[in-house]
Amino acid sequence: MDHFNYVDGLLHAEDVPLTVIAAQVGTPVYVYSAATLTRHFKLFQQALEWTDHLVCFAVKSNSNLAVLKLLGDLGAGMDIVSAGEYARARAAGVPGERIVFSGVGKTGAEMRMALDGGIRQFNVESEPELELLSQVASSLGVVAPIAVRVNPDVDAKTHEKIATGKAENKFGIPIARARDVYARAAALPGIEVVGIDMHIGSQLTDLEPYRLAYAKMADLTRALRADGHDIRRLDMGGGLGIPYRRDNNAPPLPIEYGQVIREAVGDLGCEIEIEPGRNISGNAGILLSSVIYLKEGEGRDFLILDAAMNDLIRPAMYAAHHDIVPVVEQAPGTPVAPHDVVGPVCETGDTFEKAVDLPRLSAGDLVALRSAGAYGAVMASEYNSRPLVPEVLVRGDHFAVIRARPTLEEMLGRDTIPEWL
């Protein structure tokens, strides 16, 4: 469910017509719904109400400060993977004790930053990282709480570029070596073992891979406790998918996901952490765009938008689908025809969708690319020297620009020509 619906013939974000936002902010522009973000976060809270838990929003999916503050004020923790994301979480008012530091390439400087500013735990992904964290924590005279990320070698049945739990993926420590690594962690100064971390991939639409992975996590918990480790926290990862196609069967609900967790590890008495990103922010956002041209091609028509692959890279990178709909509601029976919906960037890959059935649109007409609130603006670039796409947050009948579109002068001003040129 989201809060983007037609009212009086116009697509609205909550109570705001998208035509109003386009007129005041321009296009392309990301538009987020506060009501949808809130609802989706609360669904995960309800899914885990049977136990002590922390829902940590995956900042990588949408790192805008306003989005992070909204979720943080609701009680969300943050799952971060860089110093920049840590700084964003803190700037949004999230305390360090609600921030989990994941990622395969943490540097010593990032470790120091988190230890100085406060951190809930580090999800350690390798033995060299463990050794470095011990050195950094010891040099500061503090103790770093850790969970070791364990790779369970489970196929998440998702796109190969967002699968993270198979043996060939770069993430985590092989489960066969976990007990040895935990033994080393327990012996190191400046390290406190608090739990286990596991994350098998993104955009999962089947609960069975979770069941397989979490069964292995439960067995490992018992084995590590038998070895003398105080395993009191389980980070189950995230990755639950969303319905990108409205005509498809919906993925499992958060309540069903929570039940899988309960069945697998509910008897262990551990605090549960989860790291949803896409399932909270994905359907809470759209990319609003204007038609530049309708170009009649050889055997196909091209709808050329002012949004491009630099604004939303997912279709080019993953062959991902986003429903594309006119902002002006079409009357029943309106003729449609297949169009290739493309952007103006000089790449054939700058294609959002091929042969999508749309009514005949003209220059200036508005369209919305749905389910664009996750891995949209955060992955945008200035390729072709196109200014970064702005972002807008809607709540009820009002909205605010939460990241402005830079001017060409601001974009050029970030470059420096040395005096000797």
Side-chain angles (χ1 to χ4, degrees):
M1 176 184 173
D2 60 46
H3 293 76
F4 297 94
N5 298 294
Y6 289 101
V7 180
D8 296 330
L10 291 177
L11 190 61
H12 283 54
E14 300 189 25
D15 298 325
V16 178
L18 291 178
T19 51
V20 172
I21 294 174
Q24 294 191 28
V25 183
T27 59
V29 57
Y30 280 99
V31 182
Y32 307 129
S33 160
T36 308
L37 289 163
T38 299
R39 179 180 184 275
H40 289 173
F41 173 74
K42 288 183 175 180
L43 287 176
F44 280 103
Q45 290 280 61
Q46 294 166 10
L48 296 177
E49 62 184 2
W50 50 270
T51 189
D52 290 338
H53 66 273
L54 182 64
V55 178
C56 295
F57 177 64
V59 173
K60 61 182 175 289
S61 71
N62 188 317
S63 62
N64 189 282
L65 289 181
V67 171
L68 301 186
K69 184 179 189 309
L70 185 156
L71 294 171
D73 288 352
L74 292 171
M78 299 287 153
D79 172 58
I80 61 103
V81 295
S82 70
E85 288 189 352
Y86 180 85
R88 282 180 173 274
R90 293 308 309 272
V94 180
E97 59 264 25
R98 281 199 263 138
I99 300 175
V100 174
F101 203 146
S102 301
V104 301
K106 306 177 193 71
T107 66
E110 288 175 318
M111 294 171 181
R112 282 189 290 274
M113 179 182 184
L115 288 168
D116 283 338
I119 195 73
R120 178 178 176 84
Q121 77 196 39
F122 293 89
N123 287 339
V124 172
E125 300 238 11
S126 68
E127 293 168 86
E129 179 191 332
L130 178 63
E131 300 287 340
L132 178 59
L133 181 58
S134 171
Q135 294 170 21
V136 172
S138 296
S139 72
L140 295 173
V142 299
V143 174
I146 72 151
V148 174
R149 180 169 178 176
V150 176
N151 187 321
D153 193 20
V154 168
D155 185 356
K157 302 187 188 323
T158 188
H159 192 287
E160 63 178 7
K161 292 184 179 180
I162 49 176
T164 62
K166 295 189 288 184
E168 64 264 29
N169 298 139
K170 68 179 180 180
F171 301 95
I173 290 166
I175 195 166
R177 298 210 62 252
R179 293 175 75 175
D180 290 340
V181 174
Y182 271 91
R184 176 59 180 160
L188 285 171
I191 297 293
E192 179 189 13
V193 173
V194 299
I196 305 171
D197 172 46
M198 192 176 284
H199 179 63
I200 60 173
S202 188
Q203 187 52 19
L204 273 70
T205 57
D206 182 0
L207 292 174
E208 189 58 27
Y210 285 123
R211 289 191 179 93
L212 295 174
Y214 295 163
K216 292 186 177 186
M217 178 182 265
D219 289 342
L220 179 60
T221 301
R222 297 183 184 98
L224 291 175
R225 283 176 169 175
D227 291 343
H229 302 287
D230 182 15
I231 304 299
R232 54 190 183 273
R233 189 181 294 164
L234 298 178
D235 188 331
M236 319 301 289
L240 191 63
I242 65 172
Y244 280 103
R245 295 180 184 269
R246 295 208 160 200
D247 56 355
N248 279 13
N249 292 330
L253 298 172
I255 193 70
E256 297 170 315
Y257 171 64
Q259 186 59 30
V260 168
I261 295 174
R262 186 173 191 172
E263 291 170 358
V265 301
D267 64 332
L268 297 174
C270 291
E271 183 181 14
I272 300 299
E273 297 166 340
I274 58 172
E275 303 166 359
R278 185 192 317 265
N279 207 282
I280 290 176
S281 62
N283 283 331
I286 58 101
L287 177 59
L288 180 62
S289 180
S290 298
V291 175
I292 301 177
Y293 301 115
L294 174 62
K295 175 182 175 180
E296 295 182 359
E298 187 68 32
R300 68 184 64 203
D301 291 341
F302 295 91
L303 198 66
I304 303 174
L305 305 182
D306 62 359
M309 63 186 287
N310 70 293
D311 304 309
L312 179 63
I313 192 66
R314 296 188 69 256
M317 181 176 289
Y318 304 126
H321 170 86
H322 291 265
D323 282 348
I324 303 171
V325 297
V327 167
V328 176
E329 188 173 22
Q330 304 299 300
T334 299
V336 297
H339 296 73
D340 285 7
V341 182
V342 303
V345 159
C346 292
E347 299 272 355
T348 303
D350 184 24
T351 299
F352 292 116
E353 188 80 5
K354 291 185 176 182
V356 57
D357 284 336
L358 288 168
R360 189 171 184 84
L361 299 174
S362 303
D365 288 341
L366 297 171
V367 298
L369 286 76
R370 304 193 73 127
S371 305
Y375 305 103
V378 287
M379 298 178 76
S381 74
E382 291 180 343
Y383 185 47
N384 279 196
S385 289
R386 291 167 49 84
L388 281 175
V389 62
E391 297 169 89
V392 164
L393 181 65
V394 175
R395 171 174 276 166
D397 61 359
H398 58 280
F399 68 92
V401 176
I402 56 175
R403 185 176 74 180
R405 191 191 319 274
T407 65
L408 293 179
E409 290 74 17
E410 289 168 337
M411 184 173 67
L412 295 176
R414 292 197 297 271
D415 291 4
T416 300
I417 301 175
E419 294 180 358
W420 43 264
L421 277 184

